[in-house]
Amino acid sequence: MKDVFIAGAALYQAGRHYGKNIDDMAAEILDKALTDAKADIDALFVASSTTELANKQQLLGAYILESLGLDKIPVYRVENGDGSGGAAVALAYHALRSEEHNCVAVVGVDKPNDVLSNQQQDIYATTLDTYFERYFGFTPLSYAALMAKMYLKKYEYKYEDLARWAVLMHSHGVGNPYAYFRRQVKLEDAVNSELVSEPLRLYDVGPLADGAAAVVLCNNKKEGPRILSIATSTNAMAFSSRPEYDILYSLSEAARRAFEKAKITPRDIATAEVHDSFSVFGVLAVESLGLVKRGEALAAIKDGDLPVNLSGGFKSRGNMLGATGVYQIVEVAWQLTGREFKRVDGNYGVVHSMGGVDKISTVVVVGI
Amino acid sequence: MPIYWRNIPHYYRLAARRCKKCGAAHFPPVVRCRCGSTELENVELPHEGRLIEYTVLHQVGTDFLKQKPLIIGLVELSNGVRVTGQIVDAQPDKLTPGTKMEVVFRRVIVDGKHGLVMYGYKFRPVGGI
Amino acid sequence: MSRVGIVSWGAYIPKYRIRTEEVARIWGDDPMRIVDVYLVDEKSVEGFDEDAVTIAVEAARRAIRRAGIDPRRIGAVYAGTESKPYAVKPISSILVDALGLSNNVFAVDMEFACKAGSEGLVAAIGLVESGRVEYGMTVGTDTSQGEPGEHLEYSASSGGAALIVGKDGVVAELEAMYSFVSDTPDFWRREGSPYPMHGEGFTGEPAYFRHIVGAARGLMEKYGYKPSDFTYVVFHQPNGRFPVRAASMLNIPIEKVKPGIVVTHIGNTYNASALMGFAKVLDAARPGDKILLVPFGSGAGSNAFVFTVTDVITERQRAGVPTVEEMLRDKIYVDYAQYLKMRKMIKLFE
């Protein structure tokens, strides 16, 4: 089997792109990525969480290719909720490893700002069980809040300790030209922000943003950042039936497999982009990845920095739902090579892309 | 309306699925038990339990805009099965893990002026607080 | 097996209350005068996610729990209400699935203003007595509305009461039953109209009193009862004054009526009014007590029932089901704005 390299990429600045249609926005960024890669693709994987529900567009990939005038290319639309990005990269990777294709592109695009905030909550809630959770008005935020409450009690942290996550994310995001929010925030701002689902406040929630990202993967190159392994795992336990609420089960398992295949340990990781759609998920991800011991993540960020979410994470870079996974791959690759980001000291980076409330996680190990 | 109608046993009577082979009860219902058996029977969950944890949700979806904030809780029923549900008739600052809860029958979603009124289970603290 | 009678009872009062003085404050009435005229201090208010259906389910669930019977043995279910969420779609069928009744059940919703739940009792008695069904259930439930700013608003409230009828395990045997009906337009609500119209004073003499007294006196004369035969007398309670006057018109000592009065604390729950008073009495009654129950419905008509309490009642009273007294005490006050929101009276433009 041939190795898979990241040949090129492009990111749209995260934000409110009221003036762009979803297919055009994706087409623009895919065009930039293809130019960057100096390659032609023979398949396209499309990651999106909201194209059908917010934009009423199925077959999105076909319309992206139409917008680029690229005919006869196979297209596959991948949906794993807000983990669609990681999943699409995984399938692209497998397609290349099987040598069915030589160069493929993964495009992630989502435009949550095309609908109102309560409609955004409706759409996000479709990542929960539609009959037994969404029907009753639960949302991913409400579950994150329950988990946060239990975590803070179990490890005897104060809310202030959790609010530090937002401060850390913003301090990282200042250095990311594609981030939604590029400014520092003070701990008081976070602690005093509006309660959205107690104990979680506005600053614990990654703001939904429109975004598009594209990455070109090839198995006929010999240099550049390489995907060392990918693993996806599903947590088949209903939220109400989980034995514990301070582990991300899907991530734990996916990380274990991905690290084993790549022959690395958490200590080897120079940079990690994790799925902090809500602050507490970022905290649990750091622990479930094995970067710190269970229960210690908030203590770790109290005392110092962590090489986690150098992009600013969902809080500062933004939550572009299904597209975010593609952003994350590009961010890690660029952090390892010092492109657009400050170069990190090390050879391995990890991406954690998650769908729903710890339902499905994809872990990607990137190396140089 | 078929989506609502077919879930009536679950929404009205908390019909769960119990594995005939190992006895495990599953709610939400499943097709296959973890032990591997697909021989499951309907069993109705008890109407009492204790609160494990709760949150007060302010950012709600469209159907609940006029009812915010919603109190959402994880409750362990008296047979050990855990269920998440809205908590009603309660003041959040008087709720605490361990509070006794009972199942009540309430409106969940009303489909506008002309559509169906959809009902389901919610929880309420016992003994009034 | 004994004669047909009540096997079990259950009631439900929503937790919320609004005081008469709060309503009076909004509409510029003198609260002291209102309380004096109607003897209603406060009334029950249903929560935003409650309606006549949810209230019926709760009352019926309690009755079934108290009875300790398998719900599938109930062969008939009647829902009496004048505040259905649907003009067409029965509550009784929702009860079938909410309570786990058998699909082989006779079910219908009934309407006779406040008397529908009581007529459900008559129908249940009929089917049980004839042997067609083993148990029958009636539920009186309402979230009754009065036009804001109008006096009916002080009393129109929400609640439900359910009775299970059978021949086995009877706590109150039926001794006699009577009715008095005539076309008397004292209170009505046209199709499509949100609030009822009523004839003010006309609702008294020609309506409530004529039919209540007509039914009670008719029963007593036909079956040879005297007021002294009864331990308790429960009337329909549109306010706190009418039942007292009815008692005096029938020469019934007021002490026999007081225990069944709930209106002062929760207002007029319409189809649950007399039945809830009856439930309150059953919560405390002793074997041998005789109860005269006289519901009334506008339009107009009254039923009269005589029940004798049996030994079985003691065990049923201890079933661990909330009593009416407990429910009367279990309350949270709301202001007029919360009241409007909860009762879904704030209309949004569509």
Side-chain angles (χ1 to χ4, degrees), chain C:
Chain C
M1 282 221 188
S2 49
R3 281 203 307 231
V4 66
I6 307 294
V7 163
S8 182
W9 68 101
Y12 176 82
I13 305 173
K15 277 198 178 185
Y16 304 99
R17 306 279 187 275
I18 189 168
R19 293 186 167 100
T20 296
E21 65 199 46
E22 172 66 5
V23 179
R25 175 176 78 86
I26 301 300
W27 297 111
D29 281 327
D30 176 356
M32 303 258 279
R33 207 183 73 75
I34 300 290
V35 169
D36 188 57
V37 168
Y38 297 114
L39 287 184
V40 175
D41 291 331
E42 54 197 44
K43 66 171 187 174
S44 58
V45 180
E46 74 278 16
F48 188 87
D49 59 351
E50 298 189 277
D51 62 16
V53 176
T54 64
I55 289 172
V57 170
E58 297 293 353
R61 278 185 177 169
R62 288 171 178 186
I64 292 175
R65 209 165 96 212
R66 173 176 269 130
I69 59 171
D70 183 340
R72 284 169 300 185
R73 292 165 75 186
I74 296 173
V77 58
Y78 301 102
T81 180
E82 56 183 281
S83 48
K84 271 163 73 151
Y86 295 93
V88 178
K89 195 202 159 334
I91 296 182
S92 48
S93 62
I94 299 178
L95 287 173
V96 168
D97 271 302
L99 305 174
L101 306 186
S102 155
N103 293 121
N104 176 18
V105 87
F106 298 108
V108 72
D109 287 13
M110 298 177 134
E111 191 278 307
F112 197 124
C114 300
K115 187 172 70 90
S118 168
E119 282 298 334
L121 177 59
V122 172
I125 287 168
L127 278 181
V128 169
E129 202 165 35
S130 68
R132 284 263 172 209
V133 302
E134 194 188 351
Y135 293 103
M137 179 165 73
T138 185
V139 186
T141 176
D142 267 304
T143 54
S144 49
Q145 299 275 12
E147 184 182 319
E150 216 272 311
H151 274 207
L152 216 47
E153 200 188 13
Y154 289 109
S155 54
S157 66
S158 307
L163 299 171
I164 299 181
V165 174
K167 282 184 184 167
D168 192 17
V170 168
V171 308
E173 270 182 16
L174 177 75
E175 284 196 0
M177 208 158 83
Y178 198 83
S179 186
F180 190 100
V181 178
S182 76
D183 184 3
T184 305
D186 61 310
F187 170 108
W188 65 92
R189 183 165 65 84
R190 290 289 299 279
E191 172 74 53
S193 213
Y195 306 116
M197 304 282 286
H198 64 95
E200 290 179 331
F202 186 76
T203 63
E205 255 335 300
Y208 181 89
F209 295 106
R210 179 169 175 232
H211 296 79
I212 289 253
V213 170
R217 200 173 275 156
L219 176 143
M220 291 197 279
E221 277 167 14
K222 178 168 182 187
Y223 295 100
Y225 289 104
K226 302 180 303 293
S228 55
D229 290 328
F230 305 119
T231 325
Y232 297 102
V233 178
V234 181
F235 293 114
H236 172 62
Q237 304 158 41
N239 56 62
R241 296 269 182 215
F242 275 22
V244 173
R245 220 166 100 204
S248 121
M249 287 168 83
L250 290 162
N251 293 319
I252 292 170
I254 191 62
E255 295 74 47
K256 301 193 180 189
V257 176
K258 275 205 178 127
I261 298 285
V262 290
V263 60
T264 318
H265 308 290
I266 58 170
N268 177 5
T269 52
Y270 284 43
N271 273 285
S273 177
L275 298 185
M276 184 149 346
F278 186 41
K280 181 166 184 287
V281 161
L282 289 173
D283 284 336
R286 290 207 288 260
D289 287 347
K290 248 192 237 306
I291 307 168
L292 171 65
L293 169 65
V294 195
F296 165 80
S298 290
S302 225
N303 294 326
F305 306 88
V306 177
F307 294 99
T308 304
V309 177
T310 72
D311 293 327
V312 184
I313 196 153
T314 326
E315 160 200 333
R316 289 273 196 285
Q317 285 165 342
R318 297 203 203 111
V321 172
T323 64
V324 174
E325 271 292 350
E326 284 163 4
M327 287 182 252
L328 290 177
R329 286 194 299 262
D330 186 12
K331 53 190 182 178
I332 301 170
Y333 288 105
V334 297
D335 62 32
Y336 198 78
Q338 287 170 305
Y339 161 86
L340 289 180
K341 178 183 167 192
M342 283 178 172
R343 306 209 74 193
K344 298 156 281 286
M345 287 162 74
I346 300 178
K347 296 296 177 215
L348 302 170
F349 289 108
E350 279 154 37

Side-chain angles (χ1 to χ4, degrees), chain B residues 85-111:
Chain B
Q86 280 187 40
I87 297 175
V88 294
D89 287 355
Q91 284 150 280
D93 53 0
K94 300 223 176 77
L95 288 173
T96 182
T99 304
K100 275 175 79 174
M101 309 293 288
E102 59 180 352
V103 168
V104 292
F105 182 89
R106 294 293 172 98
R107 290 185 164 193
V108 180
I109 296 179
V110 177
D111 182 13

Side-chain angles (χ1 to χ4, degrees), chain A residues 26-28 30-31 34 44 63-71:
Chain A
E28 270 177 47
L30 176 54
D31 185 60
L34 290 173
L44 174 64
Y63 294 99
I64 296 172
L65 294 174
E66 187 182 297
S67 192
L68 289 172
L70 287 174
D71 215 359

Side-chain angles (χ1 to χ4, degrees), chain A residues 224-245:
Chain A
R226 185 160 69 93
I227 295 185
L228 301 179
S229 70
I230 298 191
T232 299
S233 182
T234 303
N235 175 1
M237 295 183 282
F239 183 86
S240 51
S241 311
R242 292 172 188 174
E244 301 186 82
Y245 292 97

